[in-house]
Amino acid sequence: MTRNEKPIFDEWQGKSLEEVLAICRDLVEDPDYPTVKKWRERGGKVLGHFQVYFPEEIAHAAGMLPVKINGAQVDGMEADSHFGSYLCSIIKTSLELALTHRLELDMFVSHPICDAARNLAAIWERNMPYKSQILYLPQNPNSDHSVQYLRDEYARLRADIEEVVGRKVTDEALRHSIEVYNESRRLFRRLYDIKRERPWLITADEAYVLVQLAGFLPREEFNELMRALLPQIEQRPAKKQDKMRVVFEGGFCECPPIDLLQTIARSCYVVDDDLLIGLRWIQDEVPTDGDPLWNLADAYINHSSYSPVQHDARKPKEKMLLQRIRNANAEAAILAAAKMCEPGLEEQVTYSKTLDKEGIPYFVTEFEENQTTFDHLGIQLETFLENILFD
């Protein structure tokens, strides 16, 4: 298949901003991945990767469609027989998508970000007919050898991808893919600039939906969509309201339901967050000269964000959260964690102690992707915000 064919997702064209946002939300919440099915019907191959970060440029350069697998609102009955009871929801629902053939792949890659995810690739391999493997990102990114190690790991990954697609992935193709993804990074930054500077123009749930599209649309189509929507968002006739500015922290892996984000957005402006941080992990543009695999590895180590599943002494997570709050001029923080998520729940303790010391108000909560009622959360959050206002 070629990149000049009719777009996989063109239902948004010719529609108003509000209509497009509604269409995009429906697409994001559809566990049957209709756009991925269209890609496969046209002869394209698909690489699925689990949270948090994956160098999608390598799969893209091979002509594959990278798909970020971050669970879904499905019951998980098939996956329950492969896992224990006390695990986060995203592990089970991600495997459920494959077991029930809602999401058909040609290759799957996972990462040992936690005890549960460490076993995911092996379970996937035993139950699926295609190659499944683990990408070992550096445990010690502060080592002088971490970039070279990761560059070699990326080379191993490229060789495995070449075996799946049946052709070589050239440096020239990698450089082109880096350019495509650099444009996405610029578009992400522009979207988050709007969230920080004029949050009344884009709500937390709307921004989340737009970012999530990057996880399963052909990246060129995503870029085209964002190029069209961002000017419309900037010109949106929305009025500024008297809402508190907050940072949402805790969506680095399993993500909250969109309705939960919508509930939060009714009470306050979410001016920054770590939702789908893996798609926004590299913060600067990646150079296209020299060795592209080295450049990608260096960007991951030295020009990246933070999360509870990366342990980098240069980026203490509590200090990075403070920086996120201050850069966004936020007045408070929402410290969320997915149920049964050990990394997320552990960081809540560290974050809360740091915010106590700094005198920054925070709201602690838990969520899971299949959660359906949010009235209690909405009341608690409104009470929290009112206490700050009238303290």
Side-chain angles (χ1 to χ4, degrees):
M1 71 185 285
T2 69
R3 299 188 190 278
N4 295 321
E5 291 186 22
K6 185 176 183 291
I8 296 293
F9 175 55
D10 61 359
E11 290 82 355
W12 62 273
Q13 295 179 356
K15 303 286 197 308
S16 69
L17 176 61
E18 307 306 323
E19 289 174 319
V20 174
L21 291 172
I23 292 169
C24 290
R25 172 168 177 167
D26 288 343
L27 185 59
V28 163
E29 291 187 309
D30 191 337
D32 291 319
Y33 287 89
T35 55
V36 178
K37 283 183 168 62
K38 284 185 184 178
W39 177 273
R40 287 182 61 84
E41 288 167 359
R42 297 183 185 184
K45 293 185 179 294
V46 180
L47 183 149
H49 59 91
F50 190 65
Q51 301 278 45
V52 170
Y53 170 77
F54 178 81
E56 289 193 347
E57 291 91 337
I58 302 175
H60 180 274
M64 299 187 81
L65 175 65
V67 174
K68 187 175 187 63
I69 301 175
N70 60 329
Q73 289 187 312
V74 294
D75 56 29
M77 292 187 66
E78 291 288 333
D80 277 343
S81 63
H82 299 275
F83 292 108
S85 300
Y86 299 103
L87 294 177
C88 58
S89 174
I90 187 175
I91 290 285
K92 297 179 182 180
T93 58
S94 293
L95 181 62
E96 182 80 8
L97 293 172
L99 292 173
T100 56
H101 304 288
R102 291 176 182 267
L103 181 59
E104 298 279 2
L105 305 176
D106 298 279
M107 183 175 177
F108 173 71
V109 181
S110 184
H111 316 279
I113 59 173
C114 65
D115 289 341
R118 186 174 291 112
N119 299 312
L120 186 58
I123 295 172
W124 211 289
E125 177 94 31
R126 288 199 296 268
N127 290 277
M128 296 295 126
Y130 46 81
K131 179 185 286 289
S132 300
Q133 65 160 271
I134 295 176
L135 175 64
Y136 290 97
L137 300 170
Q139 292 295 309
N140 180 15
N142 304 127
S143 166
D144 292 339
H145 307 287
S146 60
V147 175
Q148 181 63 55
Y149 161 81
L150 186 56
R151 189 263 172 223
D152 294 342
E153 185 69 357
Y154 284 173
R156 179 187 66 79
L157 175 67
R158 176 170 65 176
D160 287 341
I161 290 175
E162 288 173 341
E163 184 179 335
V164 172
V165 299
R167 63 176 180 274
K168 291 290 184 182
V169 178
T170 65
D171 285 356
E172 181 180 359
L174 278 168
R175 293 187 185 102
H176 169 72
S177 295
I178 289 173
E179 289 177 349
V180 171
Y181 278 73
N182 277 344
E183 181 179 8
S184 291
R185 286 183 262 273
R186 291 191 292 270
L187 293 166
F188 285 142
R189 287 198 297 269
R190 185 174 169 188
L191 175 64
Y192 270 73
D193 284 346
I194 297 172
K195 279 170 63 77
R196 282 186 289 269
E197 296 166 10
R198 291 172 289 170
W200 53 92
L201 296 180
I202 183 83
T203 62
D205 51 294
E206 291 169 341
Y208 168 79
V209 164
L210 292 178
V211 174
Q212 180 141 331
L213 291 172
F216 58 83
L217 287 182
R219 190 50 69 100
E220 291 87 350
E221 291 190 26
F222 171 77
N223 289 350
E224 180 186 2
L225 172 66
M226 292 296 285
R227 286 197 301 269
L229 292 188
L230 285 172
Q232 297 180 52
I233 293 170
E234 290 171 328
Q235 297 169 13
R236 208 174 189 180
K239 294 183 179 180
K240 182 179 179 180
Q241 298 181 21
D242 187 19
K243 291 183 178 180
M244 187 167 291
R245 299 168 61 93
V246 305
V247 161
F248 182 96
E249 192 81 6
F252 64 95
C253 185
E254 182 173 330
C255 291
I258 296 175
D259 283 341
L260 184 149
L261 295 175
Q262 198 170 51
T263 298
I264 293 173
R266 292 192 189 105
S267 300
C268 52
Y269 288 133
V270 178
V271 290
D272 205 348
D273 56 66
D274 66 343
L275 296 165
L276 298 167
I277 194 63
L279 292 171
R280 305 181 287 117
W281 183 257
I282 295 176
Q283 297 184 315
D284 301 321
E285 294 185 28
V286 179
T288 54
D289 56 335
D291 179 359
L293 291 183
W294 176 278
N295 292 340
L296 287 170
D298 180 68
Y300 173 84
I301 298 294
N302 295 313
H303 305 280
S304 57
S305 187
Y306 69 98
S307 87
V309 297
Q310 189 202 45
H311 307 287
D312 190 332
R314 300 168 301 175
K315 297 184 289 185
K317 288 174 276 293
E318 62 275 16
K319 291 185 179 179
M320 298 301 290
L321 174 58
L322 285 176
Q323 181 176 316
R324 173 171 280 159
I325 291 170
R326 288 164 179 161
N327 289 348
N329 292 318
E331 302 162 88
I334 296 175
L335 304 182
K339 292 183 178 179
M340 305 295 179
C341 175
E342 291 185 12
L345 291 167
E346 287 174 359
E347 290 304 330
Q348 274 191 340
V349 177
T350 304
Y351 290 154
S352 60
K353 289 182 177 179
T354 300
L355 296 181
D356 280 336
K357 183 178 179 181
E358 296 292 326
I360 297 173
Y362 59 90
F363 177 82
V364 178
T365 188
E366 283 186 342
F367 65 85
E368 60 180 341
E369 57 191 358
N370 282 324
Q371 188 175 344
T372 57
T373 58
F374 309 97
D375 291 342
H376 188 55
L377 169 68
I379 293 170
Q380 287 182 319
L381 183 59
E382 287 178 6
T383 302
F384 164 75
L385 297 171
E386 287 174 1
N387 285 340
I388 296 174
L389 289 172
F390 298 108
D391 187 5

